[in-house]
Amino acid sequence: MANSLDDVVSGALRVLGQYGLEFCSMRRVAGELGVQPSALYHHVPDKQTLLALMADRIVAGVEVGSDPEKAAHALRDAMLAVRDGADVVATASAFRLGDSRLENELAALTSADVARTVLLYVFGHTQATQMHRQAAQVGILSEDPDLDASFARGLALILR
């Protein structure tokens, strides 16, 4: 049975969860799906497109609504729920790949400059949090109980 685009994105996210972004290759995704790497190119033209689709899937459930602070926390939670999720979403955003819905909706509530600043802060803090937590899991660092609170404090400063 042929794989769909949804299957390819789901397979890529499974590979991401198991190996991390550094080792999330088209070859590994193809192996996860039991196909040759060339079969993936029927669905996506390149790895960057797949990365954008992965980022879109990671943030799909995040709603901006009328509260930028709540949206920023929801975005952070969505990225933290996926291994290297912040790296995937930040990379896609930096290269202007994928859906720019979140930035546009935040800009409508605040301004384009504030929206971009909030997103960059969320990406950076979440990336640092994920790295710290991964290092703590393997015993390189101890857990930092202040990561969540420091995120909230910094976000409040930006939004003020």
Side-chain angles (χ1 to χ4, degrees):
M1 178 180 222
N3 289 300
S4 67
L5 177 60
D6 185 62
D7 295 332
V8 172
V9 176
S10 294
L13 288 169
R14 286 191 302 273
V15 170
L16 178 69
Q18 186 171 0
Y19 298 101
L21 183 57
E22 183 179 3
F23 298 107
C24 186
S25 66
M26 295 296 270
R27 184 173 304 280
R28 275 219 166 95
V29 173
E32 172 71 20
L33 297 171
V35 299
Q36 293 296 316
S38 60
L40 299 179
Y41 295 101
H42 292 285
H43 300 286
V44 292
D46 50 41
K47 186 176 177 184
Q48 290 77 17
T49 301
L50 180 57
L51 186 73
L53 293 168
M54 293 165 64
D56 289 349
R57 176 85 62 87
I58 291 167
V59 303
V62 177
E63 295 297 328
V64 173
S66 61
D67 185 349
E69 184 175 7
K70 184 177 177 183
H73 281 277
L75 175 58
R76 181 174 185 262
D77 291 344
M79 292 186 296
L80 286 173
V82 177
R83 179 178 177 176
D84 293 342
D87 286 335
V88 171
V89 176
T91 300
S93 177
F95 288 104
R96 300 290 188 193
L97 301 170
D99 187 5
S100 58
R101 170 185 63 86
L102 295 176
E103 186 169 351
N104 293 338
E105 290 178 13
L106 282 170
L109 293 176
T110 57
S111 71
D113 288 340
V114 172
R116 192 72 183 144
T117 301
V118 166
L119 287 178
L120 291 173
Y121 173 73
V122 175
F123 296 157
H125 197 288
T126 307
Q127 285 172 309
T129 298
Q130 284 189 308
M131 283 190 273
H132 188 96
R133 288 180 179 173
Q134 289 171 5
Q137 285 176 348
V138 296
I140 296 171
L141 295 172
S142 59
E143 286 289 332
D144 183 349
D146 191 48
L147 287 171
D148 294 335
S150 71
F151 174 77
R153 288 190 304 270
L155 181 61
L157 284 170
I158 293 168
L159 292 173
R160 205 170 330 143

